[in-house]
Amino acid sequence: MSRENNNQPEEEQQPVRRRRISAWTIIQWFLIPLLLVAALGGGLVVGYVILGKREFSDVLAWSTWKHVYDLVFAP
């Protein structure tokens, strides 16, 4: 069905209104992913540095995450 075939005279149709994106919506689109990344980093520090008593630089080392991957997905 097209818009021209809706049995209403042309002058009675409401114009199509575009929704305005609020500033809060834009903030949410950037704030929520930022908070998720911060939570991931905080979890890495707490789990690896504080609980595991390792160096912070080891958290960022590729060999650490390769070892974790090998442990999880080992055949």
Side-chain angles (χ1 to χ4, degrees):
M1 247 180 160
S2 67
R3 296 187 120 193
E4 291 81 32
N5 297 336
N6 60 2
N7 298 335
Q8 289 183 348
E10 188 68 31
E11 54 272 314
E12 290 183 23
Q13 288 183 350
Q14 295 284 334
V16 177
R17 297 174 77 181
R18 294 185 59 182
R19 247 181 93 190
R20 187 173 164 261
I21 298 176
S22 68
W24 179 246
T25 304
I26 295 171
I27 290 171
Q28 285 178 339
W29 277 96
F30 290 106
L31 186 64
I32 291 173
L34 183 67
L35 289 175
L36 290 173
V37 169
L40 177 66
L44 288 173
V45 169
V46 169
Y48 202 79
V49 176
I50 296 174
L51 295 176
K53 299 191 182 3
R54 301 285 182 155
E55 298 267 337
F56 177 73
S57 61
D58 289 344
V59 173
L60 304 175
W62 176 253
S63 61
T64 301
W65 297 107
K66 184 179 180 320
H67 180 69
V68 170
Y69 181 84
D70 290 340
L71 287 173
V72 172
F73 296 106

